[in-house]
């Protein structure tokens, strides 16, 4: 199918969307709506902004060509800045699909899913189901319940059994989360490349490596050092630092006396605090329309959380810290 035919099919699909239909960008997860559909462009408006933004037809065509040239899907990380809405709009077309897990947009010969969320069908607490075999989920729910029932901002005032419960749940969540984090890291490790951070909604990760050294057999180390003119008494019954000192005055390399094993792992590269604050602001805006006591309490809690985030991320001098 040519671009022109695909473009007009897309416009027809956009015209058929209900006014309440909301699209979600695949990378930044921003929500927006289609406000106007024209032959040369599509006008959108983000939920958290007042101004509208035109998405030009020629940019849709550029993305179309790139998708066509990528049999396994076009990598969304290659999108230019501010181009996140384009694949979301293309996903309304019945032959285009965004795969967020793989980070690509693909063209299919069969009907596909879209990035459209009906505003009247957003998931509620009752719709949520517990993932099977994921201990951190249930432990986290118990911890949240405990945090809501106790005044944790004043720990010395809590009863001993409440502190025991909190400590136990915190320990369980930490253990479960770390185990699950490692499972996620193992999968990410296959997908990441060195020196190429990959960003998500809340931050980014990158692949890096570490070197682990372990001394070879004692006799082998001593023999090599003696052959290099180092008396065994200088390193006998001493720690690695002595061996390292001996290496500095010889022509021996690390590999002569160390078994060196390199392993790769995933580490957190940065945290996007702006996204977190944006999400908090979104919650506050949604709560603004409600006047009940629970909404007011939640608004106060969000303001406190914003203040804690600001305290943790803002720079303070040593003098200020001592005040």
């Amino acid at each position: 199918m040519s671009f022109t035919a695909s473009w007009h099919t897309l416009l027809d699909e956009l015209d058929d969307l209900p006014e309440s239909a909301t699209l979600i960008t695949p990378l930044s997860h921003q929500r927006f709506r289609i406000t106007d559909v024209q032959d040369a462009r599509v006008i959108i408006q983000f939920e958290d902004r007042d101004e509208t933004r035109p998405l030009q037809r020629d940019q849709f065509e550029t993305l179309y060509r790139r998708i066509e040239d990528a049999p396994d899907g076009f990598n969304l990380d290659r999108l230019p800045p501010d181009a996140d809405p384009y694949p979301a709009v293309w996903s309304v077309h019945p032959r285009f699909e965004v795969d967020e897990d793989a980070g690509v947009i693909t063209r299919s010969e069969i009907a596909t899913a879209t990035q459209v969320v009906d505003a009247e069908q957003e998931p509620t607490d009752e719709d949520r189901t517990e993932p099977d075999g994921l201990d951190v989920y249930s432990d986290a729910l118990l911890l949240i319940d405990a945090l809501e029932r106790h005044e944790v901002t004043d720990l010395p005032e809590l009863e001993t059994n409440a502190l025991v419960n909190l400590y136990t749940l915190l320990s369980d969540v930490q253990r479960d989360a770390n185990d699950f984090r490692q499972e996620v890291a193992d999968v990410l490790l296959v997908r990441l490349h060195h020196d190429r951070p990959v960003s998500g909604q809340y931050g980014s990760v990158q692949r890096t490596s570490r070197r682990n050294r372990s001394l070879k057999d004692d006799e082998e180390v001593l023999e090599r050092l003696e052959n290099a003119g180092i008396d065994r008494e200088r390193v006998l019954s001493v720690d690695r630092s002595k061996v390292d000192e001996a290496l500095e005055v010889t022509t021996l390399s690390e590999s002569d006396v160390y078994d060196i094993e390199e392993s790769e792992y995933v580490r957190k590269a940065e945290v996007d605090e702006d996204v977190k604050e944006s999400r908090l602001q979104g919650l506050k805006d949604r709560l603004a329309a409600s006047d009940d006591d629970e909404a007011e309490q939640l608004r106060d809690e969000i303001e406190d959380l914003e203040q804690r985030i600001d305290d943790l991320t803002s720079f303070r001098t040593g003098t200020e810290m001592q005040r």
Side-chain angles (χ1 to χ4, degrees):
M1 183 181 294
S2 66
F3 166 74
T4 300
S6 297
W7 174 247
H8 287 295
T9 299
L10 176 61
L11 296 185
D12 291 340
E13 295 290 335
L14 294 175
D15 279 330
D16 291 338
L17 287 178
E19 292 184 2
S20 61
T22 301
L23 283 76
I24 304 177
T25 59
L27 295 180
S28 58
H29 295 93
Q30 298 183 75
R31 292 171 175 257
F32 65 92
R33 295 184 180 183
I34 305 296
T35 61
D36 192 15
V37 177
Q38 305 172 12
D39 185 66
R41 60 184 184 172
V42 174
I43 311 298
I44 68 171
Q45 181 175 5
F46 288 97
E47 286 190 349
D48 59 348
R49 308 175 195 172
D50 293 332
E51 74 276 6
T52 59
R53 176 185 168 189
L55 303 181
Q56 304 297 336
R57 170 175 171 158
D58 58 347
Q59 297 299 318
F60 280 103
E61 183 172 6
T62 298
L63 180 56
Y64 174 89
R65 303 298 179 196
R66 292 184 178 180
I67 297 171
E68 289 289 289
D69 293 339
D72 297 327
F74 176 74
N75 193 328
L76 296 173
D77 286 337
R78 296 174 58 192
L79 287 172
D82 299 328
D84 210 7
Y86 285 90
V89 175
W90 262 126
S91 75
V92 179
H93 191 290
R95 294 293 183 265
F96 289 83
E97 181 178 25
V98 171
D99 184 343
E100 288 198 39
D101 291 336
V104 298
I105 179 172
T106 58
R107 182 176 180 273
S108 174
E109 297 302 323
I110 60 175
T112 62
T114 76
Q115 298 297 108
V116 177
V117 175
D118 192 332
E120 280 74 30
Q121 297 180 349
E122 293 187 8
T124 63
D125 291 340
E126 290 75 13
D127 297 328
R128 295 173 183 169
T129 57
E130 180 175 348
D132 293 333
L134 194 60
D135 293 335
V136 68
Y137 184 89
S138 57
D139 286 337
L141 289 180
L142 290 173
L143 177 59
I144 291 172
D145 178 65
L147 293 175
E148 291 176 344
R149 288 186 292 105
H150 300 296
E151 185 57 54
V152 295
T153 57
D154 194 1
L155 292 179
E157 295 299 319
L158 290 183
E159 296 182 0
T160 301
N161 64 334
L163 290 172
V164 170
N165 289 337
L166 283 172
Y167 184 89
T168 301
L169 289 171
L170 287 167
S171 178
D172 289 344
V173 170
Q174 181 186 38
R175 181 196 64 241
D176 297 337
N178 191 60
D179 291 342
F180 188 51
R181 182 181 68 89
Q182 187 57 55
E183 293 179 18
V184 174
D186 291 341
V187 177
L188 274 175
L189 193 59
V190 180
R191 304 183 185 182
L192 301 180
H193 301 282
H194 283 289
D195 302 324
R196 292 187 60 185
V198 177
S199 297
Q201 183 180 6
Y202 297 113
S204 64
V205 297
Q206 68 184 53
R207 182 171 181 160
T208 186
S209 62
R210 64 163 64 96
R211 298 173 72 246
N212 295 319
R213 302 190 310 172
S214 59
L215 281 170
K216 295 183 176 181
D217 179 76
D218 290 352
E219 287 301 321
E220 182 177 357
V221 173
L222 292 173
E223 180 181 353
R224 288 183 177 271
L225 290 174
E226 284 184 326
N227 291 338
I230 301 298
D231 292 335
R232 65 170 54 205
E233 286 77 10
R234 290 186 58 181
V235 296
L236 195 61
S237 300
V238 294
D239 58 18
R240 296 185 184 184
S241 62
K242 299 299 182 181
V243 176
D244 290 340
E245 291 175 5
L247 287 178
E248 293 178 359
V249 296
T250 69
T251 58
L252 293 175
S253 65
E254 280 186 313
S255 59
D256 288 328
V257 295
Y258 283 104
D259 288 322
I260 299 175
E261 177 184 357
E262 289 196 1
S263 61
E264 296 181 331
Y265 64 100
V266 174
R267 71 174 177 88
K268 183 171 62 178
E270 63 178 354
V271 175
D272 197 333
E273 301 295 345
D274 291 336
V275 171
K276 289 184 178 180
E277 293 181 3
S278 175
R279 299 284 288 185
L280 286 172
Q281 185 60 47
L283 288 173
K284 291 179 66 176
D285 293 341
R286 290 170 60 186
L287 288 168
S290 178
D291 296 325
D292 58 39
D293 294 338
E294 291 184 1
E296 183 63 29
Q297 181 180 356
L298 187 52
R299 280 194 288 267
D300 293 339
E301 291 175 357
I302 290 175
E303 290 176 358
D304 291 340
L305 181 57
E306 286 181 315
Q307 184 60 49
R308 289 199 296 271
I309 290 176
D310 183 68
D311 292 341
L312 290 171
T313 57
S314 61
F315 174 80
R316 290 183 294 172
T317 64
T319 302
E320 292 175 323
M321 292 290 288
Q322 293 174 1
R323 293 177 181 174

